[in-house]
Amino acid sequence: MSFYVALLLAEPIFLPNFEVENMKKVIIDCDPGIDDSLAIMLALNSPELEVIGITIVAGNSPAEMGFRNAKKVLNFLGRLDVPVYVGAERPRVREYVNALDTHGEDGLGESFLPDVPEQDIPEQSAVEFMSKALKGGDVSVIALGPLTNLAKLIDSDLDAFLSIERLVSMGGNFRSHGNCSPVAEYNYWEDPDSAKVVFDTLYDHHRMIEMVGLDVTRPIVLTPEILEDMKKKNPVVGDFVEKITKFYFKFHWEWEHIRGCVINDPLAVAHFITPDILSGIEAFTEVETGGISMGQTVVDSMGFYRKDSNACIYTQVDTAAFWDLFLPRILEIRR
Ligand code: RIB
Ligand code: CA
């Protein structure tokens, strides 16, 4: 029996067929980045989503490296049709601090995948693309990196920013400790000034951000057992995931004594698709931009400031529901 027939018989995987008109248009703003790459794989294998573009922001990787890494993932998926635009190369105010210590010197777990040939950086910038794409309405943004591009969009085209249907951001933390300081999470720590601009603008215009922070991403651990099962069920995809996560596994063991790696960004995509995977509170939230708590999301859960909520802060995650959504879709990828 051929391998593929065996695979198909192994475990029937049925994904809902979606009519195009039910698909939700999304822009993925990211800093690939290992977990960003897994999030892109999930998004592009979810029939509910139409990824109309990927915008790159400096974060885990410098922007140009992030562009190349996004192309590598799209190439693996056979989806080089998805346009990728480059945005901010540095935070709004601070010095740029990458996270290559976590994501490897190539930003993709030192998998050192070859660059995809003939993939030039488009003339159109990420913010110009966002400005045009959002104007039509009915487009959401799933932000998986620092919010630098979104703050620039506010500067240059506030109407476009306010046209975002849903804004989901992997970032911040409420009761969970930080990962860049005792109180700050990387995306908002790397560019706290942009995060503040985004949260304050949402408050000023009575809008909300759906903040998928460390409180709910920390329990999402890709363990060696899950990875082995993925490799059995789909060796091609399993090997790709192993290639880009092995460095991340080592980092997590050395720094947090976790067996496996926390895959933050795919949870933001899963939440967008199935919001009831997460639950939490609505609260007025501000981002601290300086001092020892720079990058901290200060969540006014008790209403001290008597201000309207500008954020949904997620505190509970149904981890089983996440894996039930993530694994079948990733394993359904055929290369
Ligand atoms: O703190 C985790 C977040 O920062 C994730 O989005 C990771 O990719 C990095 O961007
Ligand atoms: Ca990210």
Side-chain angles (χ1 to χ4, degrees):
M1 184 188 295
S2 85
F3 160 72
Y4 278 104
V5 170
L7 182 71
L8 289 174
L9 294 177
E11 197 166 294
I13 297 170
F14 302 105
L15 294 172
N17 293 319
F18 258 67
E19 302 304 323
V20 173
E21 60 271 12
N22 297 335
M23 293 174 85
K24 283 290 180 195
K25 288 186 168 58
V26 295
I27 294 170
I28 296 182
D29 188 63
C30 56
D31 58 334
I34 296 167
D35 55 336
D36 302 74
S37 301
L38 296 173
I40 290 169
M41 292 170 73
L42 173 61
L44 288 177
N45 283 282
S46 294
E48 303 86 347
L49 303 182
E50 181 188 351
V51 179
I52 62 170
I54 293 175
T55 51
I56 302 298
V57 62
N60 291 324
S61 310
E64 204 259 328
M65 181 188 283
F67 171 81
R68 294 202 312 268
N69 286 341
K71 288 289 185 178
K72 292 174 186 178
V73 176
L74 292 175
N75 187 42
F76 173 74
L77 296 171
R79 292 300 309 273
L80 285 170
D81 59 295
V82 178
V84 184
Y85 302 90
V86 174
E89 303 195 341
R90 58 175 308 284
R92 194 175 180 87
V93 176
R94 293 188 65 196
E95 280 309 302
Y96 169 46
V97 179
N98 67 45
L100 295 179
D101 61 335
T102 311
H103 292 261
E105 63 178 84
D106 65 345
L108 214 44
E110 296 188 355
S111 52
F112 299 118
L113 298 173
D115 278 341
V116 182
E118 290 143 45
Q119 298 298 321
D120 298 331
I121 293 177
E123 277 295 302
Q124 190 177 42
S125 74
V127 174
E128 287 164 344
F129 164 72
M130 285 175 156
S131 182
K132 273 216 185 89
L134 290 166
K135 275 258 175 5
D138 300 331
V139 175
S140 293
V141 173
I142 304 177
L144 306 174
L147 300 180
T148 319
N149 287 340
L150 287 168
K152 282 174 174 284
L153 180 66
I154 289 168
D155 294 340
S156 62
D157 192 344
L158 177 61
D159 287 345
F161 175 77
L162 295 175
S163 306
I164 294 175
E165 190 169 68
R166 284 177 64 193
L167 174 55
V168 174
S169 164
M170 191 281 132
N173 50 302
F174 175 31
R175 294 208 175 95
S176 177
H177 60 278
N179 60 8
C180 279
S181 83
V183 292
E185 173 280 326
Y186 175 77
N187 286 333
Y188 296 178
W189 173 86
E190 191 267 359
D191 189 350
D193 302 277
S194 290
K196 176 171 179 57
V197 165
V198 169
F199 277 75
D200 289 358
T201 302
L202 291 166
Y203 173 72
D204 294 342
H205 295 273
H206 312 288
R207 300 292 301 277
M208 302 281 277
I209 189 169
E210 298 169 54
M211 192 185 96
V212 181
L214 295 175
D215 302 75
V216 288
T217 63
R218 279 213 154 94
I220 306 296
V221 179
L222 176 65
T223 64
E225 292 74 16
I226 293 175
L227 184 55
E228 282 314 306
D229 190 46
M230 291 175 77
K231 285 166 63 180
K232 276 200 206 92
K233 290 197 175 107
N234 185 331
V236 173
V237 168
D239 286 348
F240 181 82
V241 172
E242 182 173 54
K243 256 199 202 102
I244 68 171
T245 59
K246 62 182 182 315
F247 185 92
Y248 217 24
F249 272 55
K250 231 167 87 248
F251 176 88
H252 278 77
W253 177 251
E254 276 163 21
W255 286 90
E256 301 202 27
H257 267 235
I258 291 174
R259 275 185 80 256
C261 59
V262 176
I263 54 170
N264 307 281
D265 292 337
L267 183 62
V269 173
H271 162 71
F272 186 92
I273 296 165
T274 316
D276 57 11
I277 285 182
L278 302 180
S279 59
I281 60 167
E282 293 187 1
F284 172 69
T285 301
E286 265 184 301
V287 180
E288 177 55 80
T289 55
I292 58 168
S293 53
M294 178 186 71
Q296 181 176 11
T297 35
V298 182
V299 179
D300 185 15
S301 56
M302 304 301 289
F304 286 108
Y305 300 137
R306 305 225 181 293
K307 288 190 168 183
D308 291 345
S309 302
N310 58 345
C312 296
I313 305 293
Y314 296 104
T315 56
Q316 308 289 328
V317 52
D318 180 344
T319 51
F322 167 78
W323 292 112
D324 287 348
L325 183 138
F326 177 77
L327 288 172
R329 292 159 191 247
I330 296 292
L331 292 172
E332 195 258 342
I333 297 169
R334 293 287 176 272
R335 290 305 296 136

